[in-house]
Amino acid sequence: MDLVYTPEQQAFRAEVRAWMEAHVPKEPLVTLECREGYDQHVAWERTLASGNWGMVTWPEAYGGRGLDLIQWLIFEEEYFRAGGPNRANQNGIFLLGPTIMEFGTEEQKARFLPPMARGEVIWAQAWSEPGAGSDMAAIQSKAVRDGDHYVITGQKTWSSRAAFADWGFGIFRTDPDSKRHKGLTFILFDLNSPGITRRPIRQLHGDTGFAELFFDEVRVPVENCLAGEGEGWNVAMATAGFERGLMLRSPGRFQATAKRLVDLYRAHEAEASPAAREAVLQAWMQTQAYAYNTYAVASKIMAGGKIGAEASLNKIFWSELDRMMHRTAMQILGAHAELKRFGNGQINQWLEGYIFSLSGPIYAGSNEVQRNIIAERLLGLPRVGAG
Amino acid sequence: MDLVYTPEQQAFRAEVRAWMEAHVPKEPLVTLECREGYDQHVAWERTLASGNWGMVTWPEAYGGRGLDLIQWLIFEEEYFRAGGPNRANQNGIFLLGPTIMEFGTEEQKARFLPPMARGEVIWAQAWSEPGAGSDMAAIQSKAVRDGDHYVITGQKTWSSRAAFADWGFGIFRTDPDSKRHKGLTFILFDLNSPGITRRPIRQLHGDTGFAELFFDEVRVPVENCLAGEGEGWNVAMATAGFERGLMLRSPGRFQATAKRLVDLYRAHEAEASPAAREAVLQAWMQTQAYAYNTYAVASKIMAGGKIGAEASLNKIFWSELDRMMHRTAMQILGAHAELKRFGNGQINQWLEGYIFSLSGPIYAGSNEVQRNIIAERLLGLPRVGAG
Amino acid sequence: MDFRFTDDQLTLAESVRDYLAGTHGPEVLRRLDAEGNRDPAIWQGLTEMGLTGLLVPEEHGGLGLGLVEAALIAAECGRACLAEPLVDTAFVAVPWLVRNGDLADLGAIAAGERQMPLPHVLNPWVADGEGSALESVDPLRNLVMFPAAGSADPYLLDLGALMSAAQLVGLADAMLHQAVEYAKIRTQFGQPVGAFQALKHQLASCAVAVEFAKPAVWRAAEALQDGGESASVHVSHAKVAASDAAVLTAETAIQVHGAMGYTYEVDLHFWMKRSWALNGAWGDRAWHLKRIDQAVIGGTMPIGPEHTFA
Amino acid sequence: MDFRFTDDQLTLAESVRDYLAGTHGPEVLRRLDAEGNRDPAIWQGLTEMGLTGLLVPEEHGGLGLGLVEAALIAAECGRACLAEPLVDTAFVAVPWLVRNGDLADLGAIAAGERQMPLPHVLNPWVADGEGSALESVDPLRNLVMFPAAGSADPYLLDLGALMSAAQLVGLADAMLHQAVEYAKIRTQFGQPVGAFQALKHQLASCAVAVEFAKPAVWRAAEALQDGGESASVHVSHAKVAASDAAVLTAETAIQVHGAMGYTYEVDLHFWMKRSWALNGAWGDRAWHLKRIDQAVIGGTMPIGPEHTFA
């Protein structure tokens, strides 16, 4: 156990800090969930890429910096310290990129990864279907082989970024007689392909970042299939593992929220409730604990270890922590909590954040599914059971 | 809605208060869960009976005062205001008494109720079996008809008061071919009958108030059967309804705890945590809410209404509230929490109370069972379901 | 001592519930959201039901009823997520005007011709009224910042807090109902999600919170009506318990709805947002908790088993 | 930067775990409870493992290891609900004596011939030692009230708090394990109770609490070992998180056990009671929370993403 940064790591931190201080937009961007904000966020991805900060953990060959996970954590800490915007390219960086590196052919890596790293192609994920949310194995959308193409018909929904993104990825049923986890294939597709209709879904806050996708005999070349036909479930599980696991939500994001919450509390200390004070202290403790745990997992992976069902512990912890911090801020704001903009015109980021935090226990595998996984795979409790 | 006591109710309160102030023991009794304490508590039952305060809601004919439920609430408030001891006779007052009044013959009422009211016969309940706790329909103990007797063989467990009590009641399988809720009969039995062996079970705190009962061909006269043969499940459900419902835990008990908690908090205000302050305020709010709700249910029943699955809301609320208040007290006591007696020799009633409060979400139908009942019967969610 | 509503009170509440269910369903909310939030026909309907004059003395053209009836109706307004600002005018402003002997506008209010949202120092904006517009998260709340400072009268604050609490228990009831209905029809893993014990138990916990917030609201209404010394503390209890129940139920309801709950297409969001707005209105959680704190820990009010109705 | 234990540390912890599992199982606890709590043979075994001298410098006959190793072993003592007061002497008193240059007794301690439970002003009683007897809820704790006032040294307090936190995560782990094992074999309604989703999810929530308390404990051990400025705050974090996880797990474990959990016959009660005792020992929850409060809200320590290891 060595909790001291090396001089190289400290130098790296200084480098990130300097770049971020010089480049992070001074004003918060408009929300990613509308056209204007999406465009701002894509522009930011390109700025990041110009400094080669887009995909820091990727190999240099694919447009990354080949950083190790500790360096990644330092990068993220400095990114959120500087107030860096949410990442439009998140699906690419954390989900699809690692998946292609693990399962893709050399040709696929060369074709898809560099433009992703440069922020030129923004990716949407397309897992869920109207009848397949938590129960992803209930997927029905079909991809029928026709020569050197798949012909996709069906519907996906709650596809994040899909209202505006360029490409999408998801799993489709390639074996029409298959059931549940079998007969599924992982396919990448151009969202502007003929036959795809996007219907943006208005979200809770009124904006439209995710979308329904309708596929009407959409032709996709066979070479867009990742890993073998019928391997989709395994690939998707690996992808979902990346999502729930280490990289989707780095601790820096939550530590920055905790710090803002402490500042908010201080400004309202005289009139705040005891529950709010307790929650603010929990916010510091829990964000720190999340950081320690992430460093521990990163250290383990760097030493050749793997992350398994523990990812479900992470998912529950950060999502419920994030909701708790934002709920606390809403309570501290009191009458001001309901305002979309305060009297001085400033956006109420706590309100936006609270609304977003409510999706945390739902997406990336609902917390109910995660608790099942913990109970069954980590604790070894029996699977079958009646309510 | 009329939340003002009548002059008669106020006069009644004054009467109870005067009697309790004159009679409630100044020193707390030793715990009911040991021989010495049990004897003290039985003596107290007889003192109460001497003032005709034993079974205040029962008809006068059976040794009660025929009070209505609002008077009962006033009685309980004053009882707990004065620091009245726990009731050794609780199984009689609240469970068996009302059950006999509803299901018993005139002869049974005359035979069993007056000695119960006088505190001469103390009753143990004998529902659970080793394989039938939450799942009470899994009962296996048999009562085989032999002439004008039942011959009981089997085992009961976690029988409260059974280590020392005089009589017991429970349900037994009278139809050997029956399954689950059918073929059960509600039987009263003398705990000193030949063939009954009591094995006191040491409880969490180290004392032995409840017991296992072993029945080895115990002969019980048929006239000790309550309601008809095979009616046991319905009778037991009615009894359990009394237990979970209005009368088992009157609000006064918890309001007295909340008041003691406020006093404890005040004595430690300077060093207490924000969580403790919040919890103390919740204690007042929730004990008040429980009292209002009980007054509302009492008013409804007095007007001819019935209490149904709402009893499960009550059970959850008071049991989790009681645990929360005692847990808070333990936190406030800090290093002193672990002491069975403080330095001055005083019993640590918060510790005893915390331990007892841990049984609240388990007995009288576990809170998991109660939440199922609420979900299915009050909210109408579907019954079948896999884990 | 009788902690029940009268048959008349229950009949009135039921008739309002039925009326709103029939004329102000979710499809109406969606229409209003798209078309500017207010519809004179709805206000007219409320007026014809007598609701604008519920608390206006009979000699001024009203029904002359009390705060308990008003709280019951406010809960129904919450249940229906009523867009029109009935509660602010009819159940908050009217009793305040009556208390102050300021009777001039009561006839017009009862006749539905006048709305009177009142600001308070703790509550500088309310829905509708004159002033610069503010955007609430609740799309049906036409929020304005009043140009003048509001009153500091604690009775006005108590009225606003009580009626917010009453709406909040109605909102919570409705969200719980929506979550339960969704859980019955949404299937995953081959069964309705409402058959999963984890969701059942979360919903049952909401039912517990809501059912034990309600009697605190009714008791506070009665206390404020009677003008007892501790009425303000009971109003604060009602507001905290109702807000907490509504916030918990909102979070649980969206979880039960899954990703659908995160969309604007599901009705739930109207109720959630109203809950968040009322949670902070007329004294926030901390403000009301402090009032309880002064009474309970500060010792300005007697507590204990014999003081249930102190 | 490497947030992992070394292979040596893990091997040591595993060997202690295996040793205690083999020699100090629940049947031993029951025997000790009946026979006066202490057994020289067990102490002898711990001495032979080198644990009494774990932190004693090599030149005084010990192993000369550090607080991280001690915290790991303390967690194993918690897991086994070790009755003997090893932690108080070997992991609290020894590093304090070393820090103070008070080396006279170290050899005797390492040799297992001397026990040295130390009082602190916040912690006037500990298990064993000389003084008037007090009865703890924990039947295996021979509590005494020290005749003299204890030290007020914050380093001693930090050592005691850290080692309590480490024991608490071990206790919590063990209670979770016991509850899981019971839930696998206890059947009701025709299936193991552990197949019911409600219990699964309660147990999963305990796992979350315990797994995120552990790294706080390891980080605090490292901080105290290094003597960094903010080490005390991290110790307080560890103590609060570990206590809360243990209290939650204890309440959940008894609930999973049902009525059996309320008996003395089930092993669980030993672990619960030790948890309650350590929850209040060496600074209670409020005391440690206040130290965090001064650092975080009071602003005496930098916070934010770039200060993970501040």
Side-chain angles (χ1 to χ4, degrees), chain B residues 1-3 288-289 292-297, chain C residues 2-6 9-10 13 17 66-79 91 161-171 173 210-227 231 234-239 241-242 308-309:
Chain B
M1 189 154 294
D2 166 18
L3 305 186
Q288 286 290 109
Y292 304 152
N293 191 61
T294 307
Y295 271 89
V297 173
Chain C
D2 186 359
F3 204 125
R4 285 182 309 145
F5 296 107
T6 64
Q9 289 169 331
L10 293 173
R17 181 190 303 203
L67 294 181
V68 173
E69 287 85 0
L72 258 177
I73 306 302
E76 295 307 326
C77 296
R79 189 189 311 280
F91 304 160
L162 170 65
M163 295 305 163
S164 298
Q167 290 176 80
L168 283 159
V169 293
L171 287 157
D173 251 354
V210 177
E211 291 308 319
F212 283 90
K214 284 178 189 168
V217 175
W218 314 142
R219 192 264 184 276
E222 174 68 23
L224 199 60
Q225 171 86 30
D226 280 5
H234 298 299
V235 168
S236 288
H237 175 189
K239 181 82 195 312
T308 299
F309 293 100

Side-chain angles (χ1 to χ4, degrees), chain B residues 172-357:
Chain B
F172 298 87
R173 198 160 291 283
T174 40
D175 176 355
D177 299 326
S178 64
K179 290 240 160 64
R180 308 286 305 161
H181 315 78
K182 306 219 162 102
L184 297 165
T185 300
F186 195 107
I187 298 175
L188 318 181
F189 51 90
D190 186 336
L191 276 165
N192 294 313
S193 306
I196 293 185
T197 307
R198 318 185 195 195
R199 189 178 76 85
I201 301 174
R202 218 172 151 200
Q203 286 170 273
L204 195 47
H205 40 62
D207 297 315
T208 50
F210 60 29
E212 278 184 309
L213 297 174
F214 297 91
F215 298 80
D216 180 13
E217 304 204 342
V218 177
R219 296 185 68 83
V220 178
V222 170
E223 62 264 29
N224 287 12
C225 151
L226 201 62
E229 189 173 295
E231 294 296 315
W233 184 261
N234 293 337
V235 180
M237 283 300 99
T239 307
F242 298 130
E243 182 172 14
R244 282 201 296 269
L246 188 65
M247 300 191 78
L248 179 68
R249 290 287 175 259
S250 75
R253 176 186 179 124
F254 303 112
Q255 290 170 302
T257 303
K259 183 173 205 262
R260 287 198 300 127
L261 183 62
V262 168
D263 290 339
L264 181 73
Y265 182 84
R266 283 182 188 147
H268 295 82
E269 184 169 354
E271 68 269 17
S273 72
R277 190 170 198 111
E278 179 79 29
V280 167
L281 298 175
Q282 286 290 345
W284 177 77
M285 285 192 276
Q286 292 184 32
T287 54
Q288 286 290 109
Y290 184 64
Y292 304 152
N293 191 61
T294 307
Y295 271 89
V297 173
S299 302
K300 181 176 153 192
I301 293 176
M302 283 167 66
K306 284 212 173 274
I307 178 168
E310 300 91 342
S312 295
L313 295 166
N314 269 13
K315 164 74 209 300
I316 290 170
F317 194 76
W318 67 250
S319 61
E320 296 180 2
L321 165 58
D322 195 42
R323 183 173 61 178
M324 181 276 281
M325 291 195 289
H326 285 91
R327 184 198 305 127
T328 301
M330 292 283 281
Q331 296 288 13
I332 293 173
L333 286 172
H336 290 77
E338 72 166 308
L339 301 181
K340 293 180 101 166
R341 285 176 185 271
F342 298 126
N344 60 7
Q346 196 193 342
I347 291 173
N348 183 352
Q349 292 193 292
W350 288 114
L351 171 63
E352 281 191 3
Y354 179 56
I355 290 177
F356 183 67
S357 79

Side-chain angles (χ1 to χ4, degrees), chain C residues 248-299:
Chain C
L248 172 71
T249 306
E251 289 189 359
T252 305
I254 188 173
Q255 187 70 20
V256 168
H257 278 79
M260 279 307 295
Y262 200 67
T263 68
Y264 210 89
E265 297 176 12
V266 159
D267 305 327
L268 177 65
H269 78 97
F270 289 113
W271 277 260
M272 287 204 290
K273 291 167 180 173
R274 181 70 50 80
S275 300
W276 301 335
L278 293 180
N279 178 43
W282 296 102
D284 63 17
R285 188 181 192 286
W287 192 90
H288 286 288
L289 206 61
K290 193 156 283 182
R291 215 157 59 161
I292 296 167
D293 193 315
Q294 282 158 0
V296 171
I297 297 176

Side-chain angles (χ1 to χ4, degrees), chain C residues 109-242:
Chain C
I109 290 174
E113 293 153 10
R114 181 106 167 71
Q115 293 187 357
M116 192 177 286
L118 293 175
H120 186 273
V121 284
L122 278 187
N123 208 46
W125 44 80
V126 297
D128 300 273
E130 304 283 317
S132 56
L134 286 170
E135 195 180 358
S136 170
V137 64
D138 177 352
L140 300 172
R141 234 161 109 86
N142 296 338
L143 221 55
V144 296
M145 171 67 104
F146 282 87
S151 158
D153 182 354
Y155 182 62
L156 177 60
L157 194 273
D158 280 340
L159 288 166
L162 170 65
M163 295 305 163
S164 298
Q167 290 176 80
L168 283 159
V169 293
L171 287 157
D173 251 354
M175 290 188 287
L176 181 55
H177 179 72
Q178 288 168 35
V180 164
E181 293 306 308
Y182 187 80
K184 286 181 190 169
I185 55 163
R186 168 73 176 167
T187 62
Q188 287 282 271
F189 304 102
Q191 63 174 31
V193 297
F196 285 100
Q197 203 184 27
L199 290 192
K200 279 184 179 174
H201 283 205
Q202 289 180 45
L203 291 166
S205 294
C206 292
V208 171
V210 177
E211 291 308 319
F212 283 90
K214 284 178 189 168
V217 175
W218 314 142
R219 192 264 184 276
E222 174 68 23
L224 199 60
Q225 171 86 30
D226 280 5
E229 223 179 311
S230 61
S232 291
V233 181
H234 298 299
V235 168
S236 288
H237 175 189
K239 181 82 195 312
V240 172

Side-chain angles (χ1 to χ4, degrees), chain B residues 33 86-87 90-91 94-95 125 127-128 133-134 136 157-161 203 205 210 240 242-245 247-250 253-254 290 311-312 314-316 318-320 322-323 326 353-370 373, chain D residues 254-255 257-262:
Chain B
E33 311 294 326
N86 291 336
R87 299 293 302 269
Q90 176 179 290
N91 290 323
F94 300 130
L95 296 184
Q125 53 99 326
W127 298 128
S128 296
S134 284
M136 208 163 84
T157 192
W158 307 313
S159 294
S160 64
R161 309 279 187 273
Q203 286 170 273
H205 40 62
F210 60 29
F242 298 130
E243 182 172 14
R244 282 201 296 269
M247 300 191 78
L248 179 68
R249 290 287 175 259
S250 75
R253 176 186 179 124
F254 303 112
Y290 184 64
S312 295
N314 269 13
K315 164 74 209 300
I316 290 170
W318 67 250
S319 61
E320 296 180 2
D322 195 42
R323 183 173 61 178
H326 285 91
Y354 179 56
I355 290 177
F356 183 67
S357 79
L358 295 176
S359 70
I362 296 168
Y363 70 79
S366 78
N367 285 14
E368 284 74 25
V369 169
Q370 307 303 335
I373 292 172
Chain D
I254 187 173
Q255 187 70 20
H257 278 80
M260 278 309 294
Y262 199 67

